[in-house]
Each structure stands twice: as structure tokens, then as C-alpha cells.
Amino acid sequence: MNPTLSAVISLLLALLSPACAAAPTDPLGDRGRWPDMQRQFYADGPISFDARVRVEVPANAEDAMNVPVAVDARAVASEGIERIVVVADYNPILKVLEFEPVTVAPYLAFRIKVQQSTPIRAGVKLKDGRWLIGSAVVASQGGGCTAPSNGRGTPGWERTLNTVSARQFSSAVGDRLRFSILHPMDTGLANGIPAFFIDELNLRDAGGNTVARIRPAEPVSENPVFTLDLAGALTVVQIDGRDNNGNKVLGTLR
Amino acid sequence: MPAFGAGLEVQAVAADTWALVGHTEDLTPSNGGNIANAGFVATGAGVVVIDTSASKALGEAWLAAIRDRSTEPVVRVYNTHLHPDHILGNMAFPREALATLPATRQSIRELGEAFNDNLYRMVGGGMKGTEAVVPDGVAEAGTTLLGHHRIRVMALRGHSAADLVVFDETTGVLFTGDLVFFDRAPTTPHANLAEWRRSLDLLAALPFKRMVPGHGPVLDDARGIAMTRRWLDWIEQTFVDAARQGLDMNDVLALPLPPEWASLPLAASEYRRSVAHLYPAIERRVLSAGVSP
């Protein structure tokens, strides 16, 4: 075969290969970091933006240290979800958390710190290997990641470390579990304060089975609050986990 | 003529007494930051100023408006509380006359430049040359006779950690600072609602004839106190109900505004800001009722 033609065919094949075919256009427009985010977090499978994966944020964040985010993948639950990876394109620490909705509905609300206005992405990894991406932009004055936590200024914060408060709700919004944990969630980016954050949480039913798993990262807000949709079954009796210093988290629901 | 000077609305309130009435708007480039009220009393033994507005230009225009109405020296300039729309005009006034409550001095020292940055972001060029000035003077609660006026300074709290109120016992004019809003939704970034309500009780008990609220028109009655209290009661009850229903912060942000507040300027935006300020503590109280350690 003519070497030039061979090169052209290789190039065409390369363009048609899954890696290239799976480079969808960011619906948020030309946001400089999306290709990096895709390479770093969502590279291992075909990828598409999917409006059924909803990321709810306020258009303007009043408090850069407490930006409410709700990730709602319930509309794609029937496709079989393995885990959800949430990232913030323009934060100094990109990954926000991972969530495995083992038997609960794929809905999680929480709050994060942002350093500046940024897209928030929720990548839903399906069991068949595909990534479905939902996105939203939050505008913020910023500075949330490099400010020290408020609790650091309160004497005795160590005594209440990892205290769990939790409650299940049956209301118009469904059957929910909401819980908070007292923890500074330090990013390591404030002067002289090392990274110190909860990095593992398991929610268990009465039989000790994990019904959901959350792996928070540094950008999750101080004293984190999580909201889950228990999909009609109020079954969570225990929340356990640990922070990156090995301190245990343990809360039992009445 | 300094920028915005022509736009200042300065209104005679009582004998020797005037108020600067700001726009009932959010901070924007077109209003130059002129959203807060201020006031002054020409006592006969010097001018007492209550608040300095939001920028160097506005402070200069405010001082020029005072100079148009009195030749007495400015002897006292009070900052009612820490918020930038009331104090960033400080640099236009004689430094030795500036005074405020101790907690407010501390707050301006810590937050003044961040406030200044934020106002540059929202107001833009109108903030040119503005820097935060921390008052050297410490204001104390009490009544003093100054010229022909008995001036009572009160140290209250609730809108912020320290809210200074000036009551002119001679004329009956009450300068409430941001403890009272009227025709404009109250703001809550540093609020303690229980303390705020107690302060409203104290204000309501004063024998005032006219009231200059922190934002909104000058009043002859207690409507501003009533409106501020109704707003605070409503947001707190809304947040408590939401927390008991298991609503997350984004759900609370999406709740519709009741018809009562539909025509109140900035009701929707201040409600949303208040979710960020107040909901976390209220939901923590509700959540802590449900777990055994």
C-alpha cells in the first residue's frame, strides 16, 4: 500500500476510534478545563453529556464556603449505576466526592467550598462502562478553599470532632436521610493547616449491609451535611467511616 | 462636585436634623453604592453624624451636603455597625471624630478590606480611591447633652454583633441603623434573630416621634419595626418548617415567595441570601434531635 494512503487510513481510523468519537462538546460552552477533567476523571469508557443527570446549584453562591449542590441521577437509575464522581473544574482540588448509591436512589445533596466561579460536573459511571455527565455553573466571589475553617477558631473543637447528627424524614419530598458530621474538613490550602477531612462514609441497614457509600474529598464543606433519597425504604440505622487521620465516625439512628 | 453628589437625597427630618435617604436597591454601578441611610444633627455645639455611606465619593458628597446645611464643626461621626454600605465613606470625615462600638471596630479591622473588595466588584468605578477606615474612637452607651440636644447612644445587637442606635431625646428622632428596614427586605449576613427581636422590643418602647431606618423612607410611626419583625419571623418559621420536612438547602432556595412579600424590593434576593446565612444552624438543630451517639 502507498505509504501516504496508509497514513491517511490510520488517521481516519484514529479519528473514528472510541477515544476520539467520545469527545463530546461541553454544553456549558468553551470552558477551558473540561478536556483535562475528562482525561483525569472520566477517561475509562464512552462518555456523553446527558441532561437527565441533573446538577442543582444556585446561580450565585452567597457563601463560597457553603455552596449547596444536589446531584440527581434518578432519571437514569434504570440503566444501572455503579458510582457518581463529582468534580469542580476551577477548584484548586478538583475532586469533590464519590458516591455509590448501592441500594438507595442516585440522589445526593451536600455543600462544597469553591475558590472561584466554576462548573460542577457529576459523572455517572454505569455498570456497562459508560459515563453520563451532568453539569452546572455556580458564580462565586470565591476564596472558599484557602480560608481556614470556622471551627478552627473555636476552642475545644476537637471534643466534638466527628459528632454525627442524623434524621430520617417522610414528607412531600420523599423518604430522606439527612445527616451532618462535625468536622473542620480542612483543605490543606490555608496557611499552616494540613489537609484534614472525612474520606470515607458507609451507610448501613439493620443487617450491617452497606446501602450507600460516600467518599468525600477536601472541597466538601466544614461540618458536612448530606441528604439522600432512601427510595421509599427508611432502612439506615448506622453511619460509620473515618477521616484521613484515622479518626472514626460512628452514628446510630434511633 | 464629587461624583454622585447631585444624586444624594437629603431630607429635613426635625429641627437641626437631616437624613440622607439611599436607594432601596442592591449595590450596583448605577447607584454608586448609595443604598443606605445616614443622618446628622447640628447640635449647636458641633455636628453629630450617623453613618458615612458606601464610598469615598459618597462620603465626600455626604459631607458636602452637611456643609451646605451647617457651618458647625463635625465633632462626632458614628458608625452604626460593620456593614460596608454604612461605613466606607469614613475616609471623607475627620479621623478624630470617628467612633463606634468595640465589636464593630474589631469587625471593620478584620473584614473592612474584604468588604471593600466586594463593593468594588459590585459597584465598580464609583468605589475609586475607597479604603476601609477603622474608627479610633470607642462609643459608649449613655446620654450626653451636646449644644441644644440630649443625644442618647444605645448599644444593641441582633442585625450584627454590635448595633449602635442614636436617639435624640430633644427632637424625638431615632436613628436605628440596620435594626430597622422599611420598604426593603432586611439583610442577615451577621444576624442573630433572637437578639434582633429583643432589640426591636427596646426600640418600640422608646418615645420616638420620627424614625430614620437603616434602609427605606423616614417614618413617623413604628411600621418599620413591625415590617422588620414580620420578615424575621417569616424567614425563621419558613426555615424551621423546611428543616422539619427534610429539605436540603437547594430545595429551600427554590421555595416560592408568599404574596405578602411579592412587592417588597429585594425580597427574593434577600430571602435567598438568608438561606445561606441562617439555614445551616436551623437544620443542625433539627438534625441533632434524631440520633443517639
Side-chain angles (χ1 to χ4, degrees):
Chain A
M1 193 188 283
N2 172 325
T4 313
L5 184 59
S6 162
V8 168
I9 289 169
S10 313
L11 185 63
L12 282 173
L13 286 174
L15 286 171
L16 294 170
S17 75
C20 284
T25 310
D26 179 1
L28 298 180
D30 181 24
R31 304 240 166 209
R33 292 217 64 174
W34 167 244
D36 293 337
M37 309 303 282
Q38 183 181 348
R39 266 193 296 277
Q40 194 167 343
F41 297 103
Y42 309 124
D44 61 335
I47 185 167
S48 59
F49 286 94
D50 194 320
R52 294 174 300 167
V53 178
R54 294 187 53 220
V55 177
E56 209 180 325
V57 293
N60 278 286
E62 169 69 11
D63 178 358
M65 296 179 75
N66 272 297
V67 179
V69 178
V71 173
D72 185 353
R74 288 175 290 197
V76 297
S78 60
E79 306 204 18
I81 295 174
E82 181 188 293
R83 67 185 197 279
I84 299 175
V85 179
V86 182
V87 301
D89 292 19
Y90 288 114
N91 258 1
I93 297 171
L94 301 171
K95 188 190 269 190
V96 171
L97 58 73
E98 289 197 23
F99 171 46
E100 290 173 52
V102 182
T103 61
V104 303
Y107 167 90
L108 185 69
F110 47 94
R111 301 204 270 271
I112 69 170
K113 296 163 276 204
V114 298
Q115 188 65 8
Q116 57 181 301
S117 299
T118 179
I120 311 288
R121 318 281 186 179
V124 177
K125 179 70 166 172
L126 298 178
K127 286 174 177 155
D128 66 14
R130 285 179 294 148
W131 283 104
L132 307 181
I133 310 294
S135 305
V137 176
V138 61
S140 170
Q141 188 190 343
C145 288
T146 50
S149 55
N150 289 319
R152 287 282 182 187
T154 312
W157 64 268
E158 302 94 336
R159 283 198 301 276
T160 57
L161 182 73
N162 286 343
T163 301
V164 180
S165 297
R167 193 160 161 180
Q168 305 194 58
F169 299 87
S170 267
S171 74
V173 292
D175 288 332
R176 281 186 168 181
L177 171 71
R178 306 196 71 218
F179 66 99
S180 73
I181 304 170
L182 297 182
H183 199 287
M185 298 297 286
D186 287 310
T187 58
L189 302 175
N191 266 346
I193 304 173
F196 181 41
F197 59 99
I198 297 167
D199 58 2
E200 185 183 320
L201 290 169
N202 300 294
L203 282 63
R204 297 185 201 276
D205 64 16
N209 306 303
T210 300
V211 299
R213 195 172 286 122
I214 304 168
R215 298 189 190 286
E218 294 93 323
V220 171
S221 297
E222 178 180 10
N223 302 331
V225 180
F226 296 98
T227 304
L228 291 98
D229 179 352
L230 300 179
L234 298 176
T235 54
V236 175
V237 299
Q238 181 174 300
I239 297 157
D240 59 65
R242 50 164 211 165
D243 64 29
N244 66 331
N245 284 14
N247 299 301
K248 288 200 165 18
V249 175
L250 181 62
T252 311
L253 275 84
R254 289 196 197 100
Chain B
M1 174 64 86
F4 308 109
L8 288 193
E9 186 192 337
V10 179
Q11 181 184 336
V13 174
D16 313 324
T17 309
W18 286 264
L20 161 60
V21 182
H23 300 283
T24 51
E25 299 171 357
D26 203 352
L27 298 156
T28 63
S30 63
N31 63 35
N34 176 22
I35 64 163
N37 295 344
F40 81 91
V41 181
T43 64
V47 170
V48 175
V49 180
I50 298 104
D51 280 344
T52 63
S53 199
S55 68
K56 178 173 185 282
L58 284 167
E60 286 168 351
W62 174 218
L63 181 59
I66 295 168
R67 283 279 148 267
D68 286 345
R69 290 164 177 83
S70 172
T71 55
E72 295 176 29
V74 172
V75 294
R76 204 57 149 160
V77 179
Y78 288 117
N79 287 163
T80 56
H81 65 295
L82 76 162
H83 290 150
D85 48 334
H86 296 260
I87 62 145
L88 285 179
N90 280 1
M91 63 192 304
F93 287 82
R95 178 129 199 182
E96 64 279 7
L98 293 169
T100 193
L101 297 170
T104 304
R105 294 176 70 209
Q106 181 65 23
S107 309
I108 297 173
R109 196 173 293 125
E110 288 170 1
L111 300 171
E113 277 314 312
F115 285 154
N116 202 16
D117 290 348
N118 196 23
L119 259 63
Y120 270 91
R121 198 171 61 87
M122 299 180 76
V123 171
M127 295 301 295
K128 192 174 169 199
T130 304
E131 288 169 27
V133 175
V134 182
D136 293 323
V138 177
E140 287 174 9
T143 305
T144 47
L145 181 64
L146 208 56
H148 325 294
H149 292 259
R150 286 182 62 82
I151 303 287
R152 190 195 302 184
V153 170
M154 301 169 72
L156 303 181
R157 47 198 297 145
H159 173 71
S160 72
D163 294 297
L164 183 149
V165 167
V166 173
F167 181 43
D168 183 335
E169 296 179 1
T170 306
T171 58
V173 176
L174 178 60
F175 298 91
T176 65
D178 277 3
L179 287 170
V180 178
F181 286 72
F182 189 68
D183 271 359
R184 195 260 194 231
T187 68
T188 59
H190 300 92
N192 177 311
L193 299 186
E195 291 179 338
W196 195 337
R197 287 194 195 91
R198 279 198 289 280
S199 292
L200 290 176
D201 291 341
L202 293 171
L203 295 181
L206 293 172
F208 66 88
K209 295 194 179 75
R210 303 207 81 187
M211 173 185 289
V212 180
H215 295 259
V218 176
L219 298 166
D220 298 319
D221 53 36
R223 275 180 299 161
I225 295 175
M227 192 217 81
T228 303
R229 192 194 303 274
R230 261 201 334 277
W231 176 273
L232 299 181
D233 289 350
W234 167 67
I235 51 173
E236 184 166 46
Q237 193 59 50
T238 301
F239 295 164
V240 168
D241 289 346
R244 288 182 179 152
Q245 295 274 308
L247 267 57
D248 186 71
M249 211 188 243
N250 275 306
D251 305 323
V252 187
L253 285 168
L255 291 177
L257 213 58
E260 178 186 9
W261 302 116
S263 61
L264 182 69
L266 300 174
S269 56
E270 293 303 344
Y271 167 76
R272 292 173 62 83
R273 293 181 70 208
S274 290
V275 174
H277 305 148
L278 303 173
Y279 195 61
I282 289 173
E283 77 180 350
R284 198 169 306 140
R285 277 210 307 275
V286 169
L287 291 180
S288 61
V291 76
S292 58

